Amino acid sequence: MAALKLVKWPKILLFGDSITQFCFSAEGCWGTLLADHFQRRADIVSRGFSGYNTRQSLALLPHLATDLKDAVGATIFLGANDASDIANTQQTVPLQEYVQNLKDIVVYFQKAGIDPILISPPALDGQSWHNSCMESGRVYLKDEKITATYARACSEAAEEIKVPCIDFHTAMINQDNWQGLLCDGLHLSRRGSELLAALLVPVLEKHLKERVPSQQLFPPWDEIDNNDPSSSFVEWCNKN
């Protein structure tokens, strides 16, 4: 009996901090929206790590070898934690190191055969995040101007190394009532998630058009021989 031809299911890896970690939540649902768009064409795999900066994320990558297998594309969404006041010694990363870390993360993915896309840190609503910190007993260690500087540096780094980039910071502040794109001044609301997904989908489609099938994998239900479905799947696999 001839061996069955197996279909390789591509993966798109979402790599980042808490905004990625909660990308399947009710508010931060941009990962869910991507998964819906790419259903039966690619798996969306979220690997978000709350509180991580680029220094920590770069050191983490070798431990994610299994996640990188069969991944064809990746989003890199880091910088909101790097862009902290220097008093936040656990998270802040100097601007030049942040840029170099982004470049090194991109190279790491590329060497693994993965096409990456950068996403700049989102805009920060300092007053709302300050209020949130007060309510939770945390110290406010963010700054809107620092965040804007890191976002701009992310876009410039992407241009320099010639990888696609979503300038999410600029896209946000160009929206009416952009503060409503955030649920607490730092993390995305549902509206913010919808904006990010809308920006990402066309970029991912273009960037990965040779690596993600344009049609859903496996035949539509009404093209399957209900009396002999196994033969229908074998025939489809041999054609694709």
Side-chain angles (χ1 to χ4, degrees), residues 61-97:
L61 279 176
H63 303 279
L64 298 180
T66 301
D67 293 319
L68 302 188
K69 185 179 180 183
D70 296 330
V72 296
T75 60
I76 302 169
F77 197 3
L78 291 162
N81 298 312
D82 300 65
S84 296
D85 187 275
I86 58 174
N88 183 1
T89 57
Q90 180 61 26
Q91 291 181 305
T92 187
V93 170
L95 184 62
Q96 288 186 337
E97 182 189 346

Side-chain angles (χ1 to χ4, degrees), residues 30 75-78 117-121 154 165-166 168 196 200:
W30 61 279
T75 60
I76 302 169
F77 197 3
L78 291 162
I117 292 173
L118 287 172
I119 306 172
S120 81
C154 175
C165 180
I166 302 294
F168 193 41
L196 179 55
L200 267 173

Side-chain angles (χ1 to χ4, degrees), residues 150-162:
Y150 277 63
R152 185 164 55 251
C154 175
S155 296
E156 291 171 353
E159 184 176 355
E160 181 181 341
I161 59 179
K162 295 179 172 53

Side-chain angles (χ1 to χ4, degrees), residues 14-73:
L14 311 183
F15 183 64
D17 52 33
S18 59
I19 299 177
T20 299
Q21 178 169 331
F22 301 113
C23 71
F24 290 118
S25 68
E27 290 275 6
C29 59
W30 61 279
T32 303
L33 296 172
L34 291 181
D36 180 62
H37 178 83
F38 286 101
Q39 60 178 304
R40 281 181 58 186
R41 296 173 56 208
D43 286 336
I44 302 297
V45 179
S46 173
R47 289 295 178 264
F49 300 87
S50 182
Y52 279 36
N53 57 29
T54 53
R55 184 186 298 165
Q56 297 159 354
S57 298
L58 180 59
L60 170 70
L61 279 176
H63 303 279
L64 298 180
T66 301
D67 293 319
L68 302 188
K69 185 179 180 183
D70 296 330
V72 296

